[in-house]
Amino acid sequence: MRKLYILCLILSITFGFAQKTNLKKADALFRNYAYADASKAYEECLQHIKDPSAQTLKNAADSYYFISDSRNALKWYRKLYEVQGNNLTDIYYLRYIQSMKAVMDYEEADKITKEYLEKKGDKKEVSRYVAQKKYMDSVAKAKPLYEIKNLAINTSKSDFGATFFQEKVVFTSARDTTKFSEKLYTWNNQPFLNLYVAERNPADGSLFNESVFLPNVMTKYHEATASFDSQGKTIYYTTNIVKKNKLVVDEDKVNNFQIVKGSIVDNKLENVQKVFFDSDEYSVGHPSLSEDGKWLFFASDMPGGYGETDLYYVKIADDGTMSSPKNLGPAINTIGNDLFPFFSNGVLYFSSDGHYGWGDLDIYESKLLADGTFSTPKNLGAPINSNKDDFAFIIDKSNTYGYFSSNRAEGKGDDDIYSFTKSKPVCKQSISGTAYDRKSKQPLSDVVVMAYNSFSEVLGETRTNYEGKYAIEVPCNKTVKMIAAKPNYSSDDKTVETTGENAGEIKDVNFELSNYDDLVVKRKGVEKVDVNPIYFDYDKYDITPKAIEELSKVVFIMQKFPNIRIKIESHTDSRGKDAYNLKLSDNRAKATRDYIVSQNIDASRIESAIGYGESRLINKCKNGVKCSEAEHVLNRRSDFIIIQK
């Protein structure tokens, strides 16, 4: 039954239409929305048609699609795809993909989805698919927040659309308890829909003692999907457009839905009136009133939308005046069906088959932002969503329990009402950034990024991708130490304070790593820290600011490579007395050692600090040899020799 009240919001009534097996009769059944009978007629006809037209294939597939027979719908959509290929329209791509998902052919569905998006060439749509697919994959790995239960109150017919009414629950059902049982809705050969009310058991969420809600509302056609103000005194609900007990049809002989408002007085409906945006030419339905009564959300196929049905809202003033309907825009609405809005605690819940979900209608949530727009919708994941239609989600003010509807396989009937309890989500945030090579400033791949708490316990681990990017999930409200490391590179660390915003993201926590080979020089098989000459004032061994600049390179490599051990050797040129030079160089060696140790480097990592004076000249400039200042400079050096790494 879903394709009536969930997707199309249209209705055409015919009674006693005899089924015959020729194509003209099948087409006639299809045109009159008798999809249950039409699907059988097409099935029989197509056994004898060698090359059916694309329109016949569409009708056969749609007949099954509109009665939720996804397996048979997929058979004919696949043949249609074989015939039309890239000429398939957007809506038939969507139905084809949704039918694959409904029978859990997810790999094939993803393949066709990518082909479809490549054909469209819409970068925004590709980005939306990638983001939603990524989020769905993460949700699939997370522990579910919901526990669900099929209710005993469900029947073999369609039961759906629970909504809170005071301490009770009002819902929609096709159960045959009315005097109109002889009238069947030809779309699916079920009785028409009516509103029912039931008691609610707070202990387990079960519903019982159901009865017809507001008996004077009931007609021989559809009444469905109600919404109430906080006092339970005002009702909005969906019904067929009827005048003088007869259906009003448009030029296509379609009867559309409308939203009716009324007052509830002594269990009776009074002061019944249409909302001003009702129209004989299109449908409006699925009303949902916000807790404060200032917003009314609804679904409609009115002209100017983005897809088959879109979500809209009107603002309601204190005197009851409504603003003009406003479309919720392309962040919410899609080329498909977007329906069943429910707004609570600043969050809009709705169902859609146009976003990239698990199959058919999935339930999404979107937060109302400070600027009046809504955030990117997020799929609620399993077990709320399945490969079938999942819709009509409501949740209480405490965000702990509620109801939704689904036609999933394990149900009792066409559509069933499920209760759920929701646990509090584990508050997590994402820390993201990029790792770079410190010298070249190029991104580094395969850098291991670790996150630790204050007790040095691991919170998470990941690696940077080929672009040097990473993202890691960590708990909220924590001091997190981040360490990035890669073989033959220095490590880098950052401390990050996470906030209390669940699913928030802390961006641009970047790292710079130095390649070991960029920090050392190798001569004759000996590795030394690569530093410029360290200058001291004449006849002194105090550490100068210029010396600190070079010694910081030694400190850096020892900090970043904690296994490195060194020995320090200081040398002078040949000018001056040999004994004096030996003493001066030794003082300078030990001064550099003391400075390095003062920078929190363990003294045991410096094996020795020895001055050799002029005993180890590296050129000809010994005593008595005339040399230039530049040649003497080469001998005035301090070496930081790496003896372990």
Side-chain angles (χ1 to χ4, degrees):
M1 174 172 273
R2 61 161 187 175
K3 303 306 175 192
L4 162 70
Y5 54 82
I6 298 179
L7 300 186
C8 295
L9 291 173
I10 60 175
L11 176 124
S12 178
I13 304 298
T14 60
F15 297 111
F17 204 111
Q19 177 185 333
K20 295 184 180 180
T21 58
N22 62 63
L23 187 57
K24 287 185 178 180
K25 290 297 182 182
D27 289 342
L29 288 165
F30 184 85
R31 285 194 302 271
N32 284 277
Y33 307 97
Y35 295 123
D37 290 335
S39 62
K40 297 175 185 177
Y42 280 118
E43 192 71 37
E44 190 164 344
C45 288
L46 285 165
Q47 292 178 16
H48 309 290
I49 302 175
K50 185 178 180 181
D51 295 309
S53 68
Q55 189 59 55
T56 297
L57 292 173
K58 288 179 181 179
N59 291 356
D62 285 347
S63 295
Y64 283 115
Y65 185 75
F66 291 152
I67 60 172
S68 301
D69 187 342
S70 302
R71 182 68 64 185
N72 281 309
L74 177 58
K75 176 177 65 176
W76 297 114
Y77 285 136
R78 184 171 282 130
K79 288 185 180 296
L80 178 65
Y81 184 67
E82 290 170 359
V83 170
Q84 291 199 318
N86 287 335
N87 292 321
L88 212 60
T89 61
D90 288 349
I91 196 61
Y92 278 96
Y93 260 112
L94 179 60
R95 290 177 186 173
Y96 181 31
I97 291 165
Q98 291 292 10
S99 296
M100 281 186 276
K101 290 183 177 181
V103 299
M104 294 186 289
D105 288 348
Y106 290 116
E107 288 186 11
E108 184 69 13
D110 282 339
K111 176 187 171 186
I112 298 298
T113 298
K114 290 172 184 175
E115 289 178 2
Y116 161 66
L117 292 174
E118 285 178 356
K119 185 200 81 165
K120 285 192 74 174
D122 187 334
K123 292 182 179 179
K124 286 185 178 180
E125 194 70 10
V126 171
S127 297
R128 185 168 72 97
Y129 167 75
V130 170
Q132 291 188 342
K133 181 71 166 58
K134 181 179 178 182
Y135 181 78
M136 284 172 58
D137 290 343
S138 68
V139 168
K141 296 174 184 177
K143 181 181 178 182
L145 299 178
Y146 301 87
E147 289 188 12
I148 69 171
K149 186 187 299 182
N150 189 291
L151 299 182
I153 200 172
N154 290 312
T155 67
S156 61
K157 300 296 191 295
S158 186
D159 305 286
F160 70 97
T163 188
F164 297 119
F165 173 64
Q166 298 173 340
E167 300 301 316
K168 300 178 182 181
V169 169
V170 170
F171 64 97
T172 303
S173 178
R175 61 190 64 201
D176 191 10
T177 62
T178 77
K179 64 182 180 180
F180 308 121
S181 59
E182 70 276 9
K183 299 281 191 179
L184 295 182
Y185 178 44
T186 57
W187 185 299
N188 59 359
N189 292 333
Q190 286 195 27
F192 285 90
L193 301 169
N194 277 291
L195 295 173
Y196 292 79
V197 63
E199 304 285 336
R200 179 181 182 275
N201 184 346
D204 61 6
S206 62
L207 303 179
F208 60 97
N209 288 344
E210 72 274 19
S211 60
V212 173
F213 183 60
L214 302 178
N216 71 316
V217 172
M218 191 170 60
T219 70
K220 61 182 180 181
Y221 300 120
H222 288 307
E223 283 82 39
T225 55
S227 184
F228 304 92
D229 68 354
S230 59
Q231 303 298 315
K233 294 181 179 180
T234 300
I235 181 176
Y236 294 85
Y237 68 96
T238 307
T239 184
N240 298 119
I241 300 176
V242 179
K243 290 181 181 178
K244 296 180 180 179
N245 292 322
K246 291 185 179 181
L247 294 168
V248 176
V249 296
D250 62 18
E251 59 184 15
D252 295 322
K253 297 183 180 180
V254 172
N255 172 263
N256 290 300
F257 278 123
Q258 63 182 347
I259 294 175
V260 171
K261 175 186 178 184
S263 301
I264 300 173
V265 181
D266 297 329
N267 200 35
K268 289 184 179 180
L269 184 67
E270 297 184 358
N271 191 28
V272 179
Q273 53 187 300
K274 296 181 178 182
V275 296
F276 81 92
F277 48 85
D278 284 339
S279 172
D280 293 351
E281 303 304 316
Y282 54 80
S283 286
V284 295
H286 306 164
S288 178
L289 194 64
S290 62
E291 300 113 316
D292 60 8
K294 295 182 178 181
W295 298 58
L296 180 68
F297 296 87
F298 63 95
S300 178
D301 61 355
M302 67 175 65
Y306 292 89
E308 293 195 288
T309 54
D310 280 16
L311 294 179
Y312 295 80
Y313 72 88
V314 294
K315 294 181 179 180
I316 304 176
D318 292 340
D319 64 359
T321 302
M322 292 183 176
S323 67
S324 297
K326 184 173 182 179
N327 190 293
L328 285 177
I332 300 294
N333 292 312
T334 66
I335 63 170
N337 292 282
D338 303 287
L339 311 125
F340 284 99
F342 178 75
F343 187 73
S344 177
N345 291 334
V347 178
L348 175 68
Y349 302 91
F350 67 99
S351 292
S352 175
D353 64 5
H355 292 282
Y356 299 99
W358 301 113
D360 288 334
L361 288 174
D362 273 13
I363 299 168
Y364 296 82
E365 64 177 3
S366 176
K367 295 179 180 178
L368 177 62
L369 304 176
D371 63 0
T373 62
F374 285 88
S375 66
T376 301
K378 292 184 176 180
N379 191 296
L380 294 191
I384 295 294
N385 288 319
S386 69
N387 59 312
K388 298 295 185 180
D389 283 319
D390 308 293
F391 57 99
F393 179 96
I394 63 169
I395 193 167
D396 77 309
K397 292 180 181 179
S398 66
N399 283 335
T400 57
Y401 69 85
Y403 299 88
F404 72 99
S405 306
S406 180
N407 65 348
R408 61 190 63 186
E410 59 268 29
K412 296 179 181 179
D414 188 328
D415 298 297
D416 282 3
I417 300 171
Y418 290 77
S419 66
F420 69 81
T421 55
K422 181 184 179 183
S423 58
K424 288 186 177 181
V426 177
C427 187
K428 289 188 175 182
Q429 292 190 330
S430 173
I431 300 176
S432 62
T434 306
Y436 296 96
D437 183 291
R438 190 166 183 259
K439 182 177 182 181
S440 69
K441 306 303 181 185
Q442 294 300 305
L444 282 177
S445 62
D446 289 322
V447 174
V448 176
V449 181
M450 304 284 292
Y452 298 88
N453 64 14
S454 300
F455 301 98
S456 298
E457 297 168 331
V458 177
L459 298 174
E461 176 182 351
T462 189
R463 287 177 181 267
T464 58
N465 64 13
Y466 71 97
E467 295 179 309
K469 298 183 182 300
Y470 77 93
I472 192 167
E473 259 194 351
V474 295
C476 297
N477 296 313
K478 297 290 182 183
T479 299
V480 180
K481 184 173 183 179
M482 307 284 293
I483 298 179
K486 181 176 181 173
N488 207 54
Y489 278 81
S490 65
S491 61
D492 193 11
D493 60 84
K494 298 286 175 68
T495 299
V496 180
E497 299 287 340
T498 59
T499 68
E501 180 191 359
N502 190 31
E505 184 177 6
I506 301 173
K507 299 181 180 180
D508 298 324
V509 179
N510 301 328
F511 299 100
E512 287 190 337
L513 281 67
S514 295
N515 192 322
Y516 176 82
D517 295 335
D518 292 334
L519 302 175
V520 301
V521 291
K522 298 178 182 179
R523 294 192 181 97
K524 297 180 181 180
V526 177
E527 289 186 351
K528 303 176 183 179
V529 181
D530 187 12
V531 295
N532 294 317
I534 296 176
Y535 295 100
F536 292 86
D537 291 336
Y538 177 72
D539 200 26
K540 292 184 179 180
Y541 50 86
D542 298 325
I543 302 297
T544 65
K546 201 145 191 161
I548 288 175
E549 187 176 332
E550 294 305 313
L551 288 174
S552 66
K553 299 176 184 178
V554 182
V555 172
F556 176 83
I557 194 171
M558 296 191 75
Q559 287 174 336
K560 299 301 182 180
F561 295 90
N563 293 324
I564 282 180
R565 295 181 69 240
I566 65 171
K567 62 179 181 180
I568 302 172
E569 296 180 351
S570 288
H571 307 273
T572 66
D573 59 35
S574 61
R575 293 175 294 185
K577 294 182 178 181
D578 292 1
Y580 178 81
N581 285 340
L582 184 65
K583 179 65 174 175
L584 180 62
S585 66
D586 197 62
N587 286 339
R588 288 175 174 175
K590 289 174 172 54
T592 57
R593 176 200 61 192
D594 293 345
Y595 175 80
I596 293 170
V597 170
S598 75
Q599 301 304 301
N600 295 318
I601 301 298
D602 191 333
S604 66
R605 295 175 62 194
I606 303 175
E607 182 183 74
S608 59
I610 300 173
Y612 291 91
E614 58 185 270
S615 65
R616 295 184 178 182
L617 302 175
I618 59 173
N619 56 22
K620 65 179 182 178
C621 300
K622 59 184 179 180
N623 290 336
V625 177
K626 187 175 182 180
C627 290
S628 67
E629 181 61 28
E631 289 174 313
H632 283 302
V633 164
L634 294 177
N635 289 315
R636 292 202 310 271
R637 68 197 187 278
S638 289
D639 291 329
F640 302 89
I641 301 169
I642 297 170
I643 59 175
Q644 177 184 306
K645 62 179 180 180

